[in-house]
Amino acid sequence: MNIQEAKEEIVHTLQAYLQKDEDGEYTFPVVHQRPILLIGPPGVGKTAIMEQVAREGGVGLVAYTMTHHTRQSAIGLPKIVEKTYGGVPTTVTEYTMSEIIASVYETMEKSGNREGILFLDEINCVSETLAPTMLQFLQNKTFGSHRLPAGWVVVAAGNPPEFNKSVREFDVVTLDRVRQINVEADLDVWLDYAREKQLHGAVVSYLTVKPDRFYCVERKDGALAFVTARGWEDLSRVLQSYENLNAPITEALVSQYLRKEETARDFAAYYRLYRKYGTDYGIGELLDGTLTEETYREKVSMAAGGSFDERFSVVNLILESLQARLREYCELDAKVVQLHSVLSRFRGLPQTLPEFIAANENALDVKRKNDLISRVEARREAWVLGRLEQMEVVVRERHIREKDRTFACMKEQFGEDLARREASINAVQKALENAFRFVLDSFGQGQELTLLVTCLSKMPDAQKYFRLHGCEAYLQYTDVLLYRAREEALQKACRAVL
């Protein structure tokens, strides 16, 4: 299965294992809670989905790469303690708590969350001395004498033998106590992830045009060559950083991430063309609608006469720019909605505005220190606090002291935020209309339009915008493509019957 299907399987497993009865007791017996064992090639996103599952499920996550551990750190260090057996005192050896189990308890104490996922990566590459300990843990959920707390689900991951010389096979006894899920690289799933995470448009565009370049691990004449999903994502991040710094992007840089010479060379050449297309077509001005009609028609003619690679690159450049605008709108919308919620809460409290701001600052500080808030949520709350502080300055400048007048003043300033949100909505709507106009004028209702509609359908930010504000062109051509797909399926079925 692909990594998205594996994620869904883990989500369902987590829900099943953590079900409770009316007395608050887990209904799934611990002895039958088989750990999940993900086996798949490197760099397909096994670690990334664990973070997503934990975040979406509202549970804790403790992750360990097992190749970094020794037997002592896994089961604990020996210590001598005094015991009395049959009235006779004696000394015996016990073990301190496993570092891994201790990390689970620390996470529980820090977050206040009693349930979670313990993720053990590269589990089938552990040292020879640690292997028996890991097998014991998979079978019994204990490291030495210390058991994993109830409410914690075990997920392990490893690579098949062909990708790692250090891999050791599990015996039947162990395999009979785990749920093995074999994961394969899947470009379509990864492209959805790439667009959601706003990876570099050149990477997304290149792999759309040349899907066979997505994943490769091979050994030729004794030399290892490989390209992985992780490599593409890391390359994307470094491209974005280098562009911000105006630093040169060379084939040598690309080859540090894409470890297959032909692919690195081909992508480096494509990247240069992609940047040139972005300049030649003036995507920003095109979506803003600031091109003269004559210049616009020149761009349409150039796109219509372009090669296959150029046409798809242009659509991906448009999608990249739309994604950035949609993300900006969604972030502003989330901030304004949260600010409205905070203002409503302030109105019903007896606190003064300075007291309210101080209390919220303290609450944010506590959440940050205890990892109870994501960086995105923290930045959003910090923005809200910044706006409250700006509002307080205006309140002081107007010498307002009464609570009702203070709130009225804040509500007036909140109108400015609503106006910025409305301007953002209008700008995104205009960009979408211009995008559809250009694609239709350049390519008609061909595969380029299909790419535009399909990718917008898979963008969470775009779908949020469409639900709230609509987009006539998107809805129109979504219906057209669905009708076309149904018609093609019907024709195929008829041919099969005949």
PDB file of all heavy atoms in Angstrom, residues 115-142:
ATOM      1  N   GLU A 115      -2.136   9.296  26.602  1.00  0.00           N
ATOM      2  CA  GLU A 115      -2.127   8.346  25.493  1.00  0.00           C
ATOM      3  C   GLU A 115      -1.188   8.824  24.395  1.00  0.00           C
ATOM      4  O   GLU A 115      -0.957  10.034  24.242  1.00  0.00           O
ATOM      5  CB  GLU A 115      -3.536   8.166  24.931  1.00  0.00           C
ATOM      6  CG  GLU A 115      -4.529   7.633  25.957  1.00  0.00           C
ATOM      7  CD  GLU A 115      -5.947   7.578  25.435  1.00  0.00           C
ATOM      8  OE1 GLU A 115      -6.280   8.366  24.526  1.00  0.00           O
ATOM      9  OE2 GLU A 115      -6.731   6.764  25.950  1.00  0.00           O
ATOM     10  N   GLY A 116      -0.656   7.862  23.627  1.00  0.00           N
ATOM     11  CA  GLY A 116       0.253   8.281  22.575  1.00  0.00           C
ATOM     12  C   GLY A 116       0.769   7.135  21.734  1.00  0.00           C
ATOM     13  O   GLY A 116       0.308   5.994  21.829  1.00  0.00           O
ATOM     14  N   ILE A 117       1.750   7.467  20.905  1.00  0.00           N
ATOM     15  CA  ILE A 117       2.394   6.514  20.008  1.00  0.00           C
ATOM     16  C   ILE A 117       3.880   6.485  20.312  1.00  0.00           C
ATOM     17  O   ILE A 117       4.523   7.540  20.401  1.00  0.00           O
ATOM     18  CB  ILE A 117       2.190   6.916  18.533  1.00  0.00           C
ATOM     19  CG1 ILE A 117       0.702   6.942  18.177  1.00  0.00           C
ATOM     20  CG2 ILE A 117       2.941   5.966  17.604  1.00  0.00           C
ATOM     21  CD1 ILE A 117       0.416   7.558  16.818  1.00  0.00           C
ATOM     22  N   LEU A 118       4.409   5.299  20.488  1.00  0.00           N
ATOM     23  CA  LEU A 118       5.852   5.116  20.592  1.00  0.00           C
ATOM     24  C   LEU A 118       6.331   4.606  19.237  1.00  0.00           C
ATOM     25  O   LEU A 118       5.979   3.500  18.817  1.00  0.00           O
ATOM     26  CB  LEU A 118       6.204   4.115  21.690  1.00  0.00           C
ATOM     27  CG  LEU A 118       7.701   3.748  21.798  1.00  0.00           C
ATOM     28  CD1 LEU A 118       8.555   4.986  22.059  1.00  0.00           C
ATOM     29  CD2 LEU A 118       7.913   2.703  22.884  1.00  0.00           C
ATOM     30  N   PHE A 119       7.098   5.438  18.537  1.00  0.00           N
ATOM     31  CA  PHE A 119       7.555   5.095  17.192  1.00  0.00           C
ATOM     32  C   PHE A 119       9.035   4.729  17.223  1.00  0.00           C
ATOM     33  O   PHE A 119       9.881   5.536  17.623  1.00  0.00           O
ATOM     34  CB  PHE A 119       7.328   6.279  16.241  1.00  0.00           C
ATOM     35  CG  PHE A 119       7.806   6.023  14.832  1.00  0.00           C
ATOM     36  CD1 PHE A 119       7.312   4.957  14.116  1.00  0.00           C
ATOM     37  CD2 PHE A 119       8.747   6.855  14.246  1.00  0.00           C
ATOM     38  CE1 PHE A 119       7.744   4.712  12.813  1.00  0.00           C
ATOM     39  CE2 PHE A 119       9.186   6.628  12.957  1.00  0.00           C
ATOM     40  CZ  PHE A 119       8.686   5.547  12.234  1.00  0.00           C
ATOM     41  N   LEU A 120       9.336   3.518  16.815  1.00  0.00           N
ATOM     42  CA  LEU A 120      10.712   3.004  16.821  1.00  0.00           C
ATOM     43  C   LEU A 120      11.156   2.787  15.382  1.00  0.00           C
ATOM     44  O   LEU A 120      10.722   1.844  14.711  1.00  0.00           O
ATOM     45  CB  LEU A 120      10.775   1.689  17.606  1.00  0.00           C
ATOM     46  CG  LEU A 120      10.219   1.755  19.041  1.00  0.00           C
ATOM     47  CD1 LEU A 120      10.228   0.372  19.679  1.00  0.00           C
ATOM     48  CD2 LEU A 120      11.007   2.751  19.877  1.00  0.00           C
ATOM     49  N   ASP A 121      12.019   3.673  14.895  1.00  0.00           N
ATOM     50  CA  ASP A 121      12.459   3.613  13.505  1.00  0.00           C
ATOM     51  C   ASP A 121      13.709   2.748  13.370  1.00  0.00           C
ATOM     52  O   ASP A 121      14.480   2.593  14.326  1.00  0.00           O
ATOM     53  CB  ASP A 121      12.744   5.026  12.994  1.00  0.00           C
ATOM     54  CG  ASP A 121      12.739   5.100  11.476  1.00  0.00           C
ATOM     55  OD1 ASP A 121      12.359   4.096  10.830  1.00  0.00           O
ATOM     56  OD2 ASP A 121      13.108   6.153  10.928  1.00  0.00           O
ATOM     57  N   GLU A 122      13.896   2.206  12.168  1.00  0.00           N
ATOM     58  CA  GLU A 122      15.048   1.358  11.842  1.00  0.00           C
ATOM     59  C   GLU A 122      15.173   0.202  12.839  1.00  0.00           C
ATOM     60  O   GLU A 122      16.266  -0.160  13.263  1.00  0.00           O
ATOM     61  CB  GLU A 122      16.338   2.199  11.799  1.00  0.00           C
ATOM     62  CG  GLU A 122      16.297   3.283  10.734  1.00  0.00           C
ATOM     63  CD  GLU A 122      17.587   4.059  10.622  1.00  0.00           C
ATOM     64  OE1 GLU A 122      18.594   3.638  11.213  1.00  0.00           O
ATOM     65  OE2 GLU A 122      17.592   5.097   9.939  1.00  0.00           O
ATOM     66  N   ILE A 123      14.049  -0.376  13.176  1.00  0.00           N
ATOM     67  CA  ILE A 123      14.028  -1.400  14.221  1.00  0.00           C
ATOM     68  C   ILE A 123      14.720  -2.687  13.787  1.00  0.00           C
ATOM     69  O   ILE A 123      15.223  -3.448  14.627  1.00  0.00           O
ATOM     70  CB  ILE A 123      12.576  -1.681  14.661  1.00  0.00           C
ATOM     71  CG1 ILE A 123      12.559  -2.467  15.972  1.00  0.00           C
ATOM     72  CG2 ILE A 123      11.798  -2.391  13.571  1.00  0.00           C
ATOM     73  CD1 ILE A 123      11.215  -2.553  16.622  1.00  0.00           C
ATOM     74  N   ASN A 124      14.747  -2.934  12.481  1.00  0.00           N
ATOM     75  CA  ASN A 124      15.392  -4.166  12.026  1.00  0.00           C
ATOM     76  C   ASN A 124      16.858  -3.960  11.650  1.00  0.00           C
ATOM     77  O   ASN A 124      17.454  -4.771  10.952  1.00  0.00           O
ATOM     78  CB  ASN A 124      14.626  -4.786  10.854  1.00  0.00           C
ATOM     79  CG  ASN A 124      14.461  -3.827   9.681  1.00  0.00           C
ATOM     80  OD1 ASN A 124      14.763  -2.638   9.792  1.00  0.00           O
ATOM     81  ND2 ASN A 124      13.984  -4.343   8.564  1.00  0.00           N
ATOM     82  N   CYS A 125      17.444  -2.845  12.129  1.00  0.00           N
ATOM     83  CA  CYS A 125      18.863  -2.573  11.881  1.00  0.00           C
ATOM     84  C   CYS A 125      19.649  -2.409  13.187  1.00  0.00           C
ATOM     85  O   CYS A 125      20.738  -1.836  13.197  1.00  0.00           O
ATOM     86  CB  CYS A 125      19.021  -1.306  11.038  1.00  0.00           C
ATOM     87  SG  CYS A 125      18.296  -1.409   9.400  1.00  0.00           S
ATOM     88  N   VAL A 126      19.069  -2.881  14.289  1.00  0.00           N
ATOM     89  CA  VAL A 126      19.731  -2.702  15.583  1.00  0.00           C
ATOM     90  C   VAL A 126      20.951  -3.612  15.686  1.00  0.00           C
ATOM     91  O   VAL A 126      21.106  -4.572  14.925  1.00  0.00           O
ATOM     92  CB  VAL A 126      18.757  -2.986  16.747  1.00  0.00           C
ATOM     93  CG1 VAL A 126      17.619  -1.996  16.739  1.00  0.00           C
ATOM     94  CG2 VAL A 126      18.236  -4.419  16.672  1.00  0.00           C
ATOM     95  N   SER A 127      21.812  -3.305  16.652  1.00  0.00           N
ATOM     96  CA  SER A 127      23.024  -4.108  16.856  1.00  0.00           C
ATOM     97  C   SER A 127      22.667  -5.512  17.324  1.00  0.00           C
ATOM     98  O   SER A 127      21.552  -5.773  17.800  1.00  0.00           O
ATOM     99  CB  SER A 127      23.922  -3.439  17.894  1.00  0.00           C
ATOM    100  OG  SER A 127      23.276  -3.419  19.158  1.00  0.00           O
ATOM    101  N   GLU A 128      23.632  -6.401  17.216  1.00  0.00           N
ATOM    102  CA  GLU A 128      23.401  -7.797  17.599  1.00  0.00           C
ATOM    103  C   GLU A 128      23.058  -7.936  19.071  1.00  0.00           C
ATOM    104  O   GLU A 128      22.235  -8.767  19.459  1.00  0.00           O
ATOM    105  CB  GLU A 128      24.648  -8.622  17.275  1.00  0.00           C
ATOM    106  CG  GLU A 128      24.473 -10.113  17.468  1.00  0.00           C
ATOM    107  CD  GLU A 128      25.672 -10.905  16.987  1.00  0.00           C
ATOM    108  OE1 GLU A 128      26.535 -10.324  16.312  1.00  0.00           O
ATOM    109  OE2 GLU A 128      25.737 -12.106  17.297  1.00  0.00           O
ATOM    110  N   THR A 129      23.663  -7.078  19.909  1.00  0.00           N
ATOM    111  CA  THR A 129      23.405  -7.165  21.353  1.00  0.00           C
ATOM    112  C   THR A 129      22.017  -6.628  21.721  1.00  0.00           C
ATOM    113  O   THR A 129      21.430  -7.039  22.716  1.00  0.00           O
ATOM    114  CB  THR A 129      24.470  -6.386  22.142  1.00  0.00           C
ATOM    115  OG1 THR A 129      24.487  -5.014  21.688  1.00  0.00           O
ATOM    116  CG2 THR A 129      25.849  -6.996  21.945  1.00  0.00           C
ATOM    117  N   LEU A 130      21.510  -5.708  20.892  1.00  0.00           N
ATOM    118  CA  LEU A 130      20.212  -5.101  21.194  1.00  0.00           C
ATOM    119  C   LEU A 130      19.046  -5.891  20.586  1.00  0.00           C
ATOM    120  O   LEU A 130      17.910  -5.786  21.050  1.00  0.00           O
ATOM    121  CB  LEU A 130      20.175  -3.657  20.689  1.00  0.00           C
ATOM    122  CG  LEU A 130      18.927  -2.815  20.985  1.00  0.00           C
ATOM    123  CD1 LEU A 130      18.635  -2.784  22.479  1.00  0.00           C
ATOM    124  CD2 LEU A 130      19.092  -1.408  20.438  1.00  0.00           C
ATOM    125  N   ALA A 131      19.331  -6.704  19.577  1.00  0.00           N
ATOM    126  CA  ALA A 131      18.270  -7.418  18.863  1.00  0.00           C
ATOM    127  C   ALA A 131      17.360  -8.237  19.775  1.00  0.00           C
ATOM    128  O   ALA A 131      16.124  -8.136  19.669  1.00  0.00           O
ATOM    129  CB  ALA A 131      18.880  -8.307  17.781  1.00  0.00           C
ATOM    130  N   PRO A 132      17.875  -9.044  20.697  1.00  0.00           N
ATOM    131  CA  PRO A 132      16.971  -9.819  21.565  1.00  0.00           C
ATOM    132  C   PRO A 132      16.061  -8.933  22.404  1.00  0.00           C
ATOM    133  O   PRO A 132      14.899  -9.276  22.656  1.00  0.00           O
ATOM    134  CB  PRO A 132      17.936 -10.628  22.448  1.00  0.00           C
ATOM    135  CG  PRO A 132      19.207 -10.689  21.669  1.00  0.00           C
ATOM    136  CD  PRO A 132      19.288  -9.386  20.956  1.00  0.00           C
ATOM    137  N   THR A 133      16.589  -7.772  22.837  1.00  0.00           N
ATOM    138  CA  THR A 133      15.789  -6.841  23.639  1.00  0.00           C
ATOM    139  C   THR A 133      14.628  -6.289  22.824  1.00  0.00           C
ATOM    140  O   THR A 133      13.501  -6.161  23.322  1.00  0.00           O
ATOM    141  CB  THR A 133      16.677  -5.685  24.142  1.00  0.00           C
ATOM    142  OG1 THR A 133      17.722  -6.223  24.942  1.00  0.00           O
ATOM    143  CG2 THR A 133      15.871  -4.681  24.936  1.00  0.00           C
ATOM    144  N   MET A 134      14.913  -5.967  21.544  1.00  0.00           N
ATOM    145  CA  MET A 134      13.858  -5.426  20.689  1.00  0.00           C
ATOM    146  C   MET A 134      12.792  -6.473  20.398  1.00  0.00           C
ATOM    147  O   MET A 134      11.593  -6.167  20.353  1.00  0.00           O
ATOM    148  CB  MET A 134      14.455  -4.896  19.382  1.00  0.00           C
ATOM    149  CG  MET A 134      15.362  -3.688  19.560  1.00  0.00           C
ATOM    150  SD  MET A 134      14.639  -2.403  20.617  1.00  0.00           S
ATOM    151  CE  MET A 134      13.084  -2.126  19.803  1.00  0.00           C
ATOM    152  N   LEU A 135      13.217  -7.701  20.212  1.00  0.00           N
ATOM    153  CA  LEU A 135      12.244  -8.772  19.975  1.00  0.00           C
ATOM    154  C   LEU A 135      11.353  -8.961  21.195  1.00  0.00           C
ATOM    155  O   LEU A 135      10.143  -9.161  21.081  1.00  0.00           O
ATOM    156  CB  LEU A 135      12.971 -10.070  19.634  1.00  0.00           C
ATOM    157  CG  LEU A 135      13.818 -10.047  18.350  1.00  0.00           C
ATOM    158  CD1 LEU A 135      14.441 -11.413  18.116  1.00  0.00           C
ATOM    159  CD2 LEU A 135      12.979  -9.643  17.152  1.00  0.00           C
ATOM    160  N   GLN A 136      11.969  -8.877  22.372  1.00  0.00           N
ATOM    161  CA  GLN A 136      11.192  -8.995  23.611  1.00  0.00           C
ATOM    162  C   GLN A 136      10.178  -7.858  23.710  1.00  0.00           C
ATOM    163  O   GLN A 136       9.018  -8.067  24.102  1.00  0.00           O
ATOM    164  CB  GLN A 136      12.117  -8.957  24.833  1.00  0.00           C
ATOM    165  CG  GLN A 136      11.352  -9.005  26.160  1.00  0.00           C
ATOM    166  CD  GLN A 136      12.171  -8.453  27.321  1.00  0.00           C
ATOM    167  OE1 GLN A 136      13.102  -7.687  27.112  1.00  0.00           O
ATOM    168  NE2 GLN A 136      11.828  -8.842  28.536  1.00  0.00           N
ATOM    169  N   PHE A 137      10.588  -6.663  23.318  1.00  0.00           N
ATOM    170  CA  PHE A 137       9.681  -5.527  23.418  1.00  0.00           C
ATOM    171  C   PHE A 137       8.507  -5.681  22.457  1.00  0.00           C
ATOM    172  O   PHE A 137       7.354  -5.414  22.819  1.00  0.00           O
ATOM    173  CB  PHE A 137      10.416  -4.221  23.124  1.00  0.00           C
ATOM    174  CG  PHE A 137       9.514  -3.020  23.195  1.00  0.00           C
ATOM    175  CD1 PHE A 137       9.106  -2.519  24.423  1.00  0.00           C
ATOM    176  CD2 PHE A 137       9.026  -2.422  22.043  1.00  0.00           C
ATOM    177  CE1 PHE A 137       8.241  -1.437  24.504  1.00  0.00           C
ATOM    178  CE2 PHE A 137       8.165  -1.342  22.111  1.00  0.00           C
ATOM    179  CZ  PHE A 137       7.779  -0.849  23.344  1.00  0.00           C
ATOM    180  N   LEU A 138       8.768  -6.098  21.225  1.00  0.00           N
ATOM    181  CA  LEU A 138       7.687  -6.270  20.264  1.00  0.00           C
ATOM    182  C   LEU A 138       6.686  -7.326  20.727  1.00  0.00           C
ATOM    183  O   LEU A 138       5.486  -7.229  20.475  1.00  0.00           O
ATOM    184  CB  LEU A 138       8.249  -6.649  18.893  1.00  0.00           C
ATOM    185  CG  LEU A 138       8.996  -5.542  18.141  1.00  0.00           C
ATOM    186  CD1 LEU A 138       9.577  -6.080  16.840  1.00  0.00           C
ATOM    187  CD2 LEU A 138       8.083  -4.363  17.854  1.00  0.00           C
ATOM    188  N   GLN A 139       7.206  -8.336  21.438  1.00  0.00           N
ATOM    189  CA  GLN A 139       6.336  -9.414  21.898  1.00  0.00           C
ATOM    190  C   GLN A 139       5.584  -9.054  23.172  1.00  0.00           C
ATOM    191  O   GLN A 139       4.403  -9.374  23.322  1.00  0.00           O
ATOM    192  CB  GLN A 139       7.162 -10.678  22.139  1.00  0.00           C
ATOM    193  CG  GLN A 139       7.752 -11.275  20.855  1.00  0.00           C
ATOM    194  CD  GLN A 139       8.684 -12.436  21.129  1.00  0.00           C
ATOM    195  OE1 GLN A 139       8.676 -13.000  22.225  1.00  0.00           O
ATOM    196  NE2 GLN A 139       9.484 -12.813  20.150  1.00  0.00           N
ATOM    197  N   ASN A 140       6.252  -8.349  24.107  1.00  0.00           N
ATOM    198  CA  ASN A 140       5.679  -8.134  25.440  1.00  0.00           C
ATOM    199  C   ASN A 140       5.480  -6.676  25.837  1.00  0.00           C
ATOM    200  O   ASN A 140       4.952  -6.395  26.906  1.00  0.00           O
ATOM    201  CB  ASN A 140       6.574  -8.805  26.501  1.00  0.00           C
ATOM    202  CG  ASN A 140       6.781 -10.277  26.214  1.00  0.00           C
ATOM    203  OD1 ASN A 140       5.840 -10.984  25.893  1.00  0.00           O
ATOM    204  ND2 ASN A 140       8.023 -10.736  26.312  1.00  0.00           N
ATOM    205  N   LYS A 141       5.983  -5.753  24.994  1.00  0.00           N
ATOM    206  CA  LYS A 141       5.907  -4.304  25.279  1.00  0.00           C
ATOM    207  C   LYS A 141       6.631  -3.938  26.569  1.00  0.00           C
ATOM    208  O   LYS A 141       6.195  -3.061  27.331  1.00  0.00           O
ATOM    209  CB  LYS A 141       4.450  -3.834  25.323  1.00  0.00           C
ATOM    210  CG  LYS A 141       3.689  -4.086  24.017  1.00  0.00           C
ATOM    211  CD  LYS A 141       2.277  -3.563  24.089  1.00  0.00           C
ATOM    212  CE  LYS A 141       1.491  -3.896  22.826  1.00  0.00           C
ATOM    213  NZ  LYS A 141       1.322  -5.351  22.623  1.00  0.00           N
ATOM    214  N   THR A 142       7.737  -4.626  26.830  1.00  0.00           N
ATOM    215  CA  THR A 142       8.551  -4.309  28.004  1.00  0.00           C
ATOM    216  C   THR A 142      10.009  -4.182  27.592  1.00  0.00           C
ATOM    217  O   THR A 142      10.484  -4.890  26.705  1.00  0.00           O
ATOM    218  CB  THR A 142       8.452  -5.400  29.088  1.00  0.00           C
ATOM    219  OG1 THR A 142       8.920  -6.651  28.539  1.00  0.00           O
ATOM    220  CG2 THR A 142       7.041  -5.559  29.589  1.00  0.00           C
TER     221      THR A 142
END
